[in-house]
């Protein structure tokens, strides 16, 4: 039968543009979508329209529809809840593929990984097969994965065969040949086991269900005994309006709060005082007294520079001039760094208040279901060789086990490399989560990364009260060891499997050739060496042996399974959305551990590999993040987005709740993101290269929190979705101020009340943005556009206090998540195709911003520039932990990428000089320092050579070391040390960490920062694109030494400037001491000045020199070669420039024999 195509259904609330698509300049709509089921033999069975009628509403095929808005007496129920559950089960077991100029297909995954999956939410979970001959489908199953059998003889039959029997077989069971007692699929499933039903408004559209405030499925006012809507009761109990204050009280006047024999009366709830979720902890004035020291040092620096300019060194004007210019720039750079640190603050959260407000029974939420908004977690990875799948899998497991409502959490894994290794590793992680997540919930495990937990050096049995903890831990540890073996063995397993299938295809092709050409000589059969999945089909992404349209950057291709088809994107749902009600383990689940009182549900897990084609700019990580934003908006549409690197796992299971305290507090609707500090594991005890970066994360970022908020640093950040969409914050006109008043104060320019202006862009005075123009910004996906107001509404704080503006009613988010259907996933595929962003604002105003290798800083800057605020959340227990490169070369390359991005920002429209009036002046100075700091390297490298030039020439930067110069120098040094001590005190860092930061500031400034300046100038002047190397997350080859990677020396050209500086200063010290000793009139003051500053330079470069040495006896030969060559060149140059007295020849009296 020829397959028929259908168009994915659209939401009833879609708002399309009045201008035709050709005039709008939008890309064409995606091609028709064909759904098919794949058999193990590789044959595709297409669904016809008749087959789809049972799954899709017939209105999808009409030419027009008449839309009637739902009212209390118009409650349509067109959607079948049971059909939606079956459709969701089909979606969760299918691999969806499609893309540009290709058909979107749903491939039924008979097997995702080689190991068995037994969790009811697992894609490809093991189930009974249909007993009909020739059918390979699975039997219908309920929420726990148990078989649903429509006949009393327990004959196993799949859904498709059951429908065929009802249509063509007169309802006779193929097993016992008796008539089915129930011929309605819905009745069959209802009579089997109670499935979670949708609320009474299930017939409403997706957006209407989420925005409606009449959501309680337990409420009796929805239907009276006659089945009609009870208007009188509705008017009496709600007073004819929706919103805050319309509490629906139980008939008895109270409700159970979950405690034994305790009923909370309404008067008790009303009398409870309103409590904030967060509070500011001001730093005592005695600790932040550096304000006075900063002022003193600024005055001293001004006087010092004035004195230096007025007292030149006439004997060495060139030396004096270079030093003065460098000192002026250093002063300017220091001021830019210190001014944003004038108002540091600390913050604290109250998780108990969050639980009371959102997860405790209230009049508007009698059942006590979680009223927290949804969170979509993004995890990005690109190369399984540099980012080991085991590391990524542990990060995924920590997310799935986080303490947040399961039904409100979804995890999206972006594999930008399209590797089968990553795909199967994530499938293995989803399978192991079946055991790991309930174990964490049962015993309150911290941290919830299994690798980190089992490697803890403290007593694991401390504070564990359950008697079976020891047994459970041993069993989980054994399972985790087996899990690691499977993950580490995946590369060999995939390779052996692909070789076996390839050999089978070659034998098959040779057999066919012999049958066709009996008498002719047999030619060598050449077959593409494909990469095969566990179910015996081609992997649609990158192959192990790259081929045309199956390599990195080009995922589109042809899969040879007897027929040809284009496959561009892989998009399976590994873990389908969980049910709304807790699902505790049963006695059958106790074979591993006792889970009878433990919720075994898992959050939804989705693997995404966006389409890539030659000729398209995929914009690296920023493009991958934007693809996840669009896909998640259609599938789960969490109001908030948490993005993590693949090596950055959740160390504190309450971290999401901590961030939600700020978002849901009064005024939280104006917060664009909550940035958490980055903490690292696997750092050497001495932190040789300042990898922990505590001065920045505990000092600079905390100080920025007192202004408009910290900058976005790429990971560990909780975003508000509508802020990523490019909208202005609520009440932006009310908070807008002039240039002067935006420095420190919060004076209001106009008392314009903007309670409902939550979706507005630019200077428009409309109540809300006109969504008819949204396709020009967001693309032509109506489902994506419809999700925008939904996400904005769900992200509002509770309107539980008169001072809370732009709030939402309590209990509005207690409805279950919409079930996934095939058309929804097909729409998600279309929005992550390579053409979708053409002629839209994605990457320009919407989502992660393109055009810089540091897209994180630019994205945060754009939000602050529109008037949003950000928050810095420092938790008692680290929220997240990751890895950092401890190798010198990797560290320099990492710093090079950051500095290059800063140079790009300085030469772009994102320069802080061009910021709007909505950004405070001190915040603007902070962003200005972000773009300027790499240019300090030019002056720094000159200043590092000045001591050597002074010793070579016998001169100094001043005429003589008089008392005035020494007093100025002493005052500047003392104030700098005092500032460092006080900064260490209020930020909580250690003095050693501050010193390591100073050392690496000079190392990076003389190497990576200088190279970044040249790269940035080449891009601006010559248009040379900048490429960077992905930071490796893998450890060294020595398994016995945890810090083996620290001693590996990888040569890079970035090491040349620091090596030259060290050699020049060492030689200069020797030359200066020799000259002074053998001089007739020794100039000891000039020698001491030059030697002092040379030792200052060498002390800062000591970690660099130590890193070059590697282990004892393992120093690379190239280090000695370069050192000797540089020493010889410098010596010859000096002899040529300054020959000995009594000779006029260049080079003195030296002659070759």
């Amino acid at each position: 039968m020829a397959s028929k195509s259908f168009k994915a259904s659209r939401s009833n609330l879609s708002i399309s543009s009045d201008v035709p698509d050709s005039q709008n300049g939008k890309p064409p709509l995606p091609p028709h979508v064909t759904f098919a089921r794949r058999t193990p033999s590789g044959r595709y069975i297409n669904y016809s329209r008749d087959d789809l009628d049972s799954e899709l509403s017939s209105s999808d095929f009409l030419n027009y529809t008449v839309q009637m808005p739902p009212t209390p007496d118009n409650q349509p129920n067109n959607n079948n809840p049971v059909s939606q559950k079956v459709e969701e089960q089909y979606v969760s077991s299918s691999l969806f593929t499609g893309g540009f100029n290709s058909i979107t297909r749903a491939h039924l995954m008979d097997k995702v990984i080689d190991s068995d999956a037994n969790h009811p939410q697992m894609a490809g979970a093991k189930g009974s097969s249909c007993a009909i001959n020739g059918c390979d489908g699975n039997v219908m199953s309920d929420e726990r994965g148990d078989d649903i059998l429509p006949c009393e003889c327990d004959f196993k039959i799949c859904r498709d065969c059951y429908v065929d029997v009802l249509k063509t077989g007169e309802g006779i069971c193929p097993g016992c040949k008796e008539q089915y007692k129930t011929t309605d699929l819905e009745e069959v499933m209802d009579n089997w086991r109670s499935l979670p039903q949708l609320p009474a408004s299930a017939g409403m559209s997706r957006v209407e269900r989420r925005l409606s405030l009449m959501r309680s499925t337990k409420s009796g006012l929805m239907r009276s005994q006659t089945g009609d809507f009870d208007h009188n009761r509705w008017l009496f109990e709600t007073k004819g309006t929706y919103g805050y204050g319309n509490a629906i009280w139980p008939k008895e006047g109270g409700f159970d709060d979950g405690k034994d024999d305790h009923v909370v009366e309404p008067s008790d709830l009303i009398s409870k005082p309103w409590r904030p979720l967060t509070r500011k902890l001001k730093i005592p004035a005695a600790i932040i007294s550096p304000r006075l020291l900063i002022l003193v040092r600024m005055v001293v620096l001004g006087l010092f520079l004035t004195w230096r300019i007025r007292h030149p060194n006439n004997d060495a004007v060139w030396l004096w001039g270079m030093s003065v210019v460098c000192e002026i720039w250093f002063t300017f750079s220091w001021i830019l760094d210190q001014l944003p640190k004038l108002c540091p603050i600390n913050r604290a959260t109250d998780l108990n208040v969050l639980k009371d407000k959102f997860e405790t029974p209230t009049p508007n939420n009698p059942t006590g279901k979680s009223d927290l908004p949804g969170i979509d977690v993004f995890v990005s990875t690109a190369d399984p060789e540099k980012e080991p799948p085991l590391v990524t899998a542990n990060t995924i497991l920590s997310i799935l086990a986080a303490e947040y409502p399961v039904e409100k959490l979804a995890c999206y894994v972006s594999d930008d490399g399209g590797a089968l290794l990553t795909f199967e590793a994530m499938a293995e992680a989803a399978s192991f989560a079946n055991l790991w997540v309930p174990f964490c919930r049962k015993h309150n495990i911290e941290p919830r990364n299994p690798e980190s937990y089992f490697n803890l050096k403290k007593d694991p049995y401390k504070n564990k009260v359950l008697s079976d903890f020891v047994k459970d831990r041993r069993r989980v540890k054994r399972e985790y060891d087996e899990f690691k073996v499977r993950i580490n063995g995946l590369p060999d397993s995939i390779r052996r499997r692909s070789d076996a299938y390839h050999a089978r295809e070659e034998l098959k092709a040779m057999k066919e050739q012999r049958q066709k050409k009996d008498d002719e000589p047999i030619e060598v059969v050449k077959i593409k060496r494909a990469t095969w999945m566990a179910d015996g089909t081609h992997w649609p992404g990158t192959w192990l042996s790259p081929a045309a349209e199956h390599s990195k950057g080009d995922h589109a291709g042809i899969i040879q399974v007897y027929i040809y088809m284009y496959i561009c994107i892989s998009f399976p749902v590994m873990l389908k959305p969980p049910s709304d009600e807790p699902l505790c383990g049963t006695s059958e689940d106790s074979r591993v551990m006792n889970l009878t009182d433990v919720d075994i549900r898992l959050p939804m897990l989705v693997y995404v590999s966006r389409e890539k084609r030659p000729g398209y700019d995929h914009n690296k990580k920023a493009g991958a993040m934007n693809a996840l934003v669009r896909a998640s908006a259609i599938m789960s549409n969490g109001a908030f987005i948490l993005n993590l690197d693949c090596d950055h796992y959740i160390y504190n299971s309450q971290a999401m709740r901590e961030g939600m305290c700020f978002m849901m507090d009064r005024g939280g609707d104006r917060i664009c993101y909550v940035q958490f500090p980055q903490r690292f594991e696997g750092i050497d005890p001495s932190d040789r290269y300042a990898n922990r970066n505590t001065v920045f994360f505990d000092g600079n970022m905390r100080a920025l929190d007192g202004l408009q908020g910290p900058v976005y640093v790429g990971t560990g950040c909780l975003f508000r979705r509508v802020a990523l969409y490019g909208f202005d914050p609520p009440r932006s006109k009310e908070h807008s101020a002039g240039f002067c008043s935006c420095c420190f104060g919060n004076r209001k320019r106009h008392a314009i009340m903007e309670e409902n202006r939550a979706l507005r862009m630019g200077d428009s005075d409309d109540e809300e943005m006109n969504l008819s123009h949204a396709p020009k910004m967001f693309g032509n996906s109506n489902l994506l556009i419809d999700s925008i107001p939904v996400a904005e509404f769900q992200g509002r704080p509770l309107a539980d206090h008169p001072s809370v503006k732009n709030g939402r009613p309590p209990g509005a988010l207690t409805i279950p998540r919409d079930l996934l259907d095939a058309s929804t996933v097909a729409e998600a595929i279309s929005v992550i195709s390579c053409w979708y962003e053409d002629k839209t604002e994605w990457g320009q105003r919407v989502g992660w911003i393109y055009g810089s290798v540091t897209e994180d800083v630019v994205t945060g800057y754009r939000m602050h520039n529109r008037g949003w605020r950000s928050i810095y959340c420092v938790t008692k227990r680290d929220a997240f932990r990751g890895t950092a490169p401890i190798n010198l070369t990797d560290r320099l390359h990492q710093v090079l990428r950051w500095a290059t991005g800063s140079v790009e920002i300085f030469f772009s429209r994102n320069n802080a000089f061009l910021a709007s009036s909505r950004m405070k002046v001190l915040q603007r100075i902070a962003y200005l320092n972000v773009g300027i700091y790499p240019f300090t390297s030019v002056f720094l490298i000159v200043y590092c050579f000045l001591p050597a030039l002074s010793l070579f020439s016998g001169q100094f930067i001043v005429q003589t070391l008089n008392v005035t110069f020494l007093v100025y120098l002493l005052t500047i040094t003392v104030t700098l040390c005092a500032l460092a001590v006080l900064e260490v005190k209020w930020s909580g860092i250690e003095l050693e960490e501050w010193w390591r930061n100073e050392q690496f500031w000079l190392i990076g400034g003389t190497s990576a920062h200088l190279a970044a300046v040249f790269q940035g100038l080449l891009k601006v002047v010559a248009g040379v694109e900048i490429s960077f190397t992905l930071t490796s997350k893998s450890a060294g080859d020595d398994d016995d030494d945890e810090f083996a990677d620290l001693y590996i020396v990888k040569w890079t050209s970035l090491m040349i400037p620091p090596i030259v500086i060290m050699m020049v200063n060492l030689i200069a010290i020797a030359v200066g001491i020799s000259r002074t000793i053998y001089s007739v009139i020794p100039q000891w003051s000039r020698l001491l000045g030059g030697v002092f500053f040379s030792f200052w330079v060498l002390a800062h470069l000591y970690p660099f020199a130590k890193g070059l040495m590697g282990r004892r006896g393992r120093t690379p030969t190239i280090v000695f070669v370069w050192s000797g060559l540089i020493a010889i060149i410098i010596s010859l140059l000096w002899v040529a420039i300054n020959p000995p007295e009594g000779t006029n020849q260049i080079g003195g009296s030296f002659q070759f024999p």
Side-chain angles (χ1 to χ4, degrees):
M1 179 185 297
S3 63
K4 297 182 180 181
S5 60
F6 69 95
K7 293 183 180 179
S9 61
R10 304 288 185 180
S11 173
N12 292 333
L13 291 186
S14 301
I15 303 176
S16 59
S17 175
D18 297 333
V19 185
D21 292 347
S22 59
Q23 298 180 14
N24 275 342
K26 296 185 300 182
L29 288 173
H32 289 176
V33 183
T34 299
F35 290 92
R37 183 165 58 90
R38 183 180 58 208
T39 63
S41 62
R43 184 167 55 91
Y44 288 88
I45 303 176
N46 292 298
Y47 280 151
S48 65
R49 177 172 296 187
D50 295 336
D51 298 328
L52 292 168
D53 285 342
S54 61
E55 299 180 6
L56 298 173
S57 174
S58 60
S59 61
D60 295 329
F61 303 100
L62 297 180
N63 294 327
Y64 65 92
T65 57
V66 179
Q67 299 182 11
M68 296 181 62
T71 59
D73 54 353
N74 176 32
Q75 299 290 329
N77 192 19
N78 297 329
N79 295 335
N80 189 345
V82 180
S83 298
Q84 292 181 357
K85 292 291 291 185
V86 176
E87 174 78 3
E88 183 198 31
Q89 182 180 353
Y90 166 71
V91 169
S92 64
S93 300
S94 301
L95 175 71
F96 284 80
T97 58
F100 184 69
N101 281 339
S102 61
I103 296 176
T104 301
R105 292 182 180 271
H107 313 290
L108 188 61
M109 296 292 292
D110 300 320
K111 193 174 185 182
V112 180
I113 53 178
D114 292 326
S115 58
D116 293 333
N118 53 9
H119 195 275
Q121 287 179 238
M122 276 290 296
K126 185 176 181 180
S128 302
S129 299
C130 180
I132 299 294
N133 293 331
C135 180
D136 56 358
N138 290 331
V139 177
M140 296 179 291
S141 60
D142 63 1
E143 190 177 44
R144 292 184 177 274
D146 297 330
D147 295 340
I148 296 178
L149 306 177
C151 184
E152 294 180 353
C153 69
D154 293 341
F155 182 80
K156 297 182 178 180
I157 187 171
C158 67
R159 177 188 177 279
D160 296 333
C161 294
Y162 178 68
V163 173
D164 292 339
V165 169
L166 296 181
K167 289 183 179 180
T168 61
E170 299 180 354
I172 297 177
C173 175
C176 63
K177 307 302 179 182
E178 296 290 337
Q179 186 79 21
Y180 280 120
K181 294 183 179 180
T182 303
T183 59
D184 187 1
L185 178 63
E186 180 178 352
E187 294 182 8
V188 170
M189 301 189 73
D190 285 340
N191 294 334
W192 177 249
R193 286 190 179 183
S194 58
L195 293 176
Q197 301 295 314
L198 294 177
S201 59
M204 302 167 63
S205 69
R206 179 187 299 266
V207 179
E208 288 169 320
R209 284 201 303 272
R210 290 180 174 178
L211 291 181
S212 174
L213 301 184
M214 305 282 295
R215 286 179 169 82
S216 177
T217 60
K218 306 288 186 179
S219 177
L221 64 85
M222 294 301 297
R223 298 285 177 184
S224 63
Q225 294 180 355
T226 61
D228 298 328
F229 187 83
D230 194 339
H231 289 271
N232 294 330
R233 186 176 180 186
W234 178 74
L235 291 173
F236 174 77
E237 295 186 356
T238 66
K239 297 183 180 180
T241 61
Y242 296 106
Y244 173 71
N246 302 317
I248 303 174
W249 300 101
K251 293 181 179 179
E252 296 77 12
F255 57 91
D256 189 4
D257 67 345
K259 298 180 180 179
D260 297 336
D261 300 330
H262 182 68
V263 176
V264 180
E265 298 296 333
S267 58
D268 297 337
L269 290 174
I270 297 175
S271 62
K272 286 185 177 181
W274 182 86
R275 293 185 296 171
L277 294 170
T278 63
R279 65 184 186 275
K280 292 182 180 180
L281 303 177
K282 293 186 177 180
I283 300 176
I287 298 181
I288 59 173
S289 54
R291 294 179 180 178
L292 178 61
L293 281 175
I294 291 175
L295 180 61
V296 171
R297 193 166 191 264
M298 289 176 63
V299 173
V300 173
L301 284 173
L303 296 175
F304 173 71
L305 292 176
T306 303
W307 181 86
R308 289 278 284 119
I309 295 173
R310 291 181 177 178
H311 296 80
N313 184 358
N314 296 322
D315 296 336
V317 177
W318 57 275
L319 192 63
W320 166 83
M322 288 191 297
S323 64
V324 170
V325 171
C326 293
E327 290 163 0
I328 292 175
W329 178 265
F330 293 151
T331 302
F332 171 70
S333 177
W334 177 81
I335 292 175
L336 290 182
D337 180 69
Q338 292 297 319
L339 285 181
K341 296 181 180 180
L342 295 178
C343 307
I345 61 171
N346 290 325
R347 299 182 186 270
T349 60
D350 195 334
L351 296 180
N352 293 327
V353 177
L354 184 74
K355 184 175 181 62
D356 291 341
K357 287 188 176 184
F358 293 91
E359 297 178 328
T360 303
T362 62
N364 291 298
N365 183 16
T367 60
K369 290 184 179 180
S370 177
D371 199 21
L372 289 170
I375 297 180
D376 294 336
V377 185
F378 294 171
V379 179
S380 59
T381 181
D383 189 348
E385 294 182 0
K386 293 188 176 181
E387 298 170 333
L390 183 61
V391 175
T392 307
N394 276 276
T395 300
I396 300 301
L397 291 170
S398 70
I399 295 171
L400 298 179
E403 284 293 337
Y404 201 78
V406 181
E407 66 275 10
K408 302 295 183 70
L409 190 62
C411 179
Y412 293 81
V413 182
S414 172
D415 180 17
D416 227 24
L420 179 59
L421 175 59
T422 304
F423 171 78
E424 294 198 359
M426 295 307 99
E428 289 284 1
S431 177
F432 179 69
N434 180 29
L435 179 65
W436 172 251
V437 174
F439 170 70
C440 293
R441 292 173 181 164
K442 179 181 179 180
H443 297 289
N444 195 22
I445 299 299
E446 293 287 354
R448 300 194 174 181
N449 177 324
E451 183 69 22
S452 299
Y453 171 72
F454 289 119
N455 289 332
L456 288 177
K457 298 181 180 179
K458 64 178 183 180
D459 183 11
Y461 308 107
K462 186 178 181 180
N463 300 327
K464 302 302 178 184
V465 296
L466 296 180
S467 58
D468 56 352
F469 171 73
V470 176
K471 181 184 67 175
D472 291 348
R473 186 179 185 277
R474 289 175 180 173
R475 178 59 186 268
V476 174
K477 178 64 167 63
R478 184 164 57 251
E479 293 289 339
Y480 177 66
D481 291 338
E482 296 177 359
F483 167 75
K484 288 199 300 182
V485 171
R486 292 196 302 270
I487 292 290
N488 294 330
L490 278 178
D492 294 336
S493 175
I494 294 173
R495 188 175 295 105
R496 289 195 303 267
R497 179 204 309 155
S498 299
D499 292 341
Y501 279 114
H502 181 72
R504 186 194 67 177
E505 292 298 317
E506 286 184 340
L507 293 175
K508 187 176 182 180
M510 292 176 62
K511 182 178 180 181
E512 293 178 354
Q513 191 178 27
R514 290 192 186 98
Q515 294 176 354
K516 293 180 180 179
K517 302 178 181 180
D518 296 333
D519 300 331
E520 298 179 6
I522 300 177
E523 299 179 357
V524 178
V525 180
K526 294 183 179 180
I527 299 178
K528 290 185 178 179
R529 186 170 291 275
T531 300
W532 295 74
M533 293 188 290
D535 65 340
T537 57
H538 287 179
W539 168 242
T542 303
W543 288 353
L544 297 177
S545 300
E549 299 182 346
H550 281 286
S551 59
K552 289 185 178 180
D554 185 9
H555 295 176
I558 299 175
I559 293 183
Q560 187 179 1
V561 189
Y562 299 106
I563 61 174
Y564 294 94
M565 62 182 177
Y566 291 97
I567 291 191
C568 307
I569 306 166
S570 54
F571 205 139
V573 181
M574 290 186 174
L575 288 174
K576 64 183 181 181
S579 60
D580 185 44
E581 298 292 340
L583 182 65
C584 295
T586 62
S587 57
E588 297 178 358
D589 301 325
S590 301
R591 290 172 296 178
V592 178
M593 66 176 69
N594 185 10
L595 301 176
T596 53
D597 297 327
V598 181
D599 190 358
I600 63 172
R601 293 177 300 164
L602 301 176
M604 183 173 72
L605 174 62
V606 183
Y607 171 91
V608 180
S609 182
R610 59 178 175 146
E611 178 187 10
K612 286 189 174 183
R613 288 184 180 273
Y616 284 87
D617 187 2
H618 301 108
N619 297 295
K620 303 181 179 65
K621 180 181 177 180
M625 290 293 100
N626 286 339
L628 289 185
V629 171
R630 297 190 295 270
S632 63
I634 292 176
M635 299 188 67
S636 55
N637 198 29
F640 298 95
I641 295 173
L642 173 66
N643 86 293
L644 297 172
D645 289 342
C646 65
D647 63 325
H648 223 71
Y649 71 92
I650 297 179
Y651 187 75
N652 182 359
S653 61
Q654 302 283 346
M656 297 183 191
R657 294 178 178 268
E658 299 258 10
M660 203 55 62
C661 287
F662 295 102
M663 292 294 190
M664 293 291 102
D665 204 6
R666 179 174 55 186
D669 57 335
R670 291 181 53 82
I671 297 175
C672 57
Y673 61 82
V674 176
Q675 178 65 63
F676 294 86
Q678 292 186 17
R679 305 300 187 208
F680 302 102
E681 294 178 338
I683 306 297
D684 54 297
S686 62
D687 194 11
R688 180 186 296 177
Y689 306 124
N691 293 98
R692 291 191 176 91
N693 215 357
T694 52
V695 174
F696 174 77
F697 287 114
D698 291 338
N700 298 41
M701 296 285 278
R702 189 173 298 183
L704 289 176
D705 197 17
L707 305 177
Q708 202 169 340
V711 299
Y712 168 42
V713 293
T715 184
C717 188
L718 182 67
F719 281 100
R720 184 179 298 275
R721 184 180 286 270
V722 293
L724 279 172
Y725 286 155
F727 291 103
D728 294 340
R731 306 177 299 281
S732 57
K733 292 287 185 180
E734 180 182 348
H735 287 263
S736 180
F739 181 82
C740 296
S741 61
C742 68
C743 300
F744 310 98
N746 290 322
R747 293 186 298 173
K748 299 178 181 179
R749 184 176 64 178
H750 298 289
I752 302 176
M753 298 306 296
E754 298 179 330
E755 292 288 341
N756 300 320
R757 300 185 182 184
L759 294 179
R760 188 177 61 183
M761 291 186 177
D763 297 327
S764 173
D765 290 329
D766 297 336
E767 288 296 326
E768 289 189 1
M769 189 193 75
N770 186 2
L771 291 181
S772 63
H773 302 295
K776 296 181 180 180
M777 294 193 60
F778 302 101
N780 61 1
S781 173
N782 289 334
L783 286 181
L784 174 61
I785 296 172
D786 290 341
S787 70
I788 295 175
V790 178
E792 188 278 327
F793 175 81
Q794 293 179 344
R796 296 181 181 182
L798 284 185
D800 58 351
H801 192 272
S803 63
V804 177
K805 299 179 180 180
N806 193 37
R808 61 172 172 85
L813 303 183
T814 57
I815 61 171
R817 177 180 293 173
D818 295 323
L819 302 180
L820 287 177
D821 53 25
S823 61
T824 300
V825 183
E827 184 75 5
I829 288 179
S830 67
V831 300
I832 61 173
S833 59
C834 59
W835 54 266
Y836 186 83
E837 294 184 354
D838 290 348
K839 298 181 181 180
T840 65
E841 294 292 329
W842 285 99
Q844 306 301 321
R845 180 187 176 93
V846 181
W848 270 259
I849 306 302
Y850 301 154
S852 175
V853 296
T854 52
E855 72 287 335
D856 46 3
V857 178
V858 177
T859 302
Y861 166 81
R862 289 289 186 89
M863 295 181 184
H864 287 142
N865 201 31
R866 289 193 290 268
W868 289 94
R869 281 187 50 83
S870 61
I871 296 295
Y872 196 56
C873 181
V874 182
T875 58
K876 293 182 179 179
R877 178 183 176 87
D878 295 342
F880 309 99
R881 283 192 177 182
T883 59
I886 61 176
N887 180 263
L888 176 60
T889 303
D890 294 338
R891 176 68 166 143
L892 290 178
H893 284 161
Q894 184 185 56
V895 175
L896 172 63
R897 180 165 61 88
W898 295 343
T900 304
S902 296
V903 176
E904 290 178 332
I905 293 173
F906 183 80
F907 289 111
S908 69
R909 56 181 294 193
N910 300 308
N911 193 311
F913 284 118
L914 306 177
S916 68
S917 59
R918 295 180 181 179
M919 183 179 292
K920 295 182 179 181
V921 167
L922 291 182
Q923 188 78 17
R924 189 177 311 195
I925 291 176
Y927 274 111
L928 182 63
N929 188 37
V930 170
I932 283 182
Y933 82 88
F935 295 95
T936 304
S937 62
V938 178
F939 303 91
L940 183 62
I941 199 167
V942 172
Y943 210 74
C944 288
F945 279 109
L946 287 181
L949 295 176
S950 174
L951 291 172
F952 281 135
S953 63
Q955 302 293 331
F956 196 52
I957 57 176
V958 294
Q959 190 77 32
T960 57
L961 290 176
N962 54 21
V963 177
T964 305
F965 175 77
L966 294 177
V967 169
Y968 276 128
L969 189 62
L970 179 62
T971 306
I972 293 173
T973 304
V974 170
T975 53
L976 178 63
C977 294
L979 280 173
V981 171
L982 290 177
E983 185 175 339
V984 164
K985 189 175 181 181
W986 67 257
S987 62
I989 62 178
E990 298 180 0
L991 193 59
E992 182 182 2
E993 294 174 333
W994 178 86
W995 171 239
R996 291 299 185 196
N997 182 78
E998 291 295 312
Q999 287 180 312
F1000 196 79
W1001 170 75
L1002 192 140
I1003 295 172
T1006 56
S1007 56
H1009 294 177
L1010 185 65
V1013 172
F1014 286 114
Q1015 286 187 357
L1017 292 175
L1018 283 175
K1019 181 178 180 180
V1020 174
V1021 176
V1024 179
E1025 288 297 327
I1026 300 172
S1027 61
F1028 64 90
T1029 304
L1030 187 67
T1031 304
S1032 177
K1033 276 77 176 180
S1034 59
D1037 298 331
D1038 191 353
D1039 297 333
D1040 297 332
D1041 190 350
E1042 182 181 358
F1043 309 114
D1045 204 33
L1046 179 68
Y1047 307 106
I1048 299 176
V1049 180
K1050 308 173 187 176
W1051 177 255
T1052 175
S1053 58
L1054 297 177
M1055 296 179 177
I1056 295 178
I1059 290 177
V1060 172
I1061 291 174
M1062 286 191 303
M1063 297 302 301
V1064 168
N1065 278 275
L1066 288 174
I1067 296 173
I1069 292 174
V1071 170
I1073 293 176
S1074 301
R1075 176 190 293 108
T1076 304
I1077 292 176
Y1078 293 103
S1079 296
V1080 178
I1081 304 176
Q1083 299 291 333
W1084 292 104
S1085 61
R1086 296 180 178 179
L1087 174 66
L1088 291 177
V1091 170
F1092 173 79
F1093 284 108
S1094 290
F1095 273 115
W1096 176 85
V1097 172
L1098 294 174
H1100 281 75
L1101 291 175
Y1102 172 73
F1104 176 82
K1106 195 173 181 180
L1108 287 180
M1109 296 299 104
R1111 291 184 185 271
R1112 182 176 300 178
R1114 296 187 182 181
T1115 304
T1117 307
I1118 192 172
V1119 174
F1120 297 105
V1121 173
W1122 270 100
S1123 301
L1125 183 62
I1126 292 172
I1128 294 173
I1129 293 174
I1130 294 173
S1131 301
L1132 293 177
L1133 283 176
W1134 177 248
V1135 173
I1137 295 172
N1138 189 13
E1141 298 180 0
T1143 178
N1144 296 324
Q1145 297 178 352
I1146 297 178
S1149 58
F1150 176 80
Q1151 295 179 354
F1152 287 100

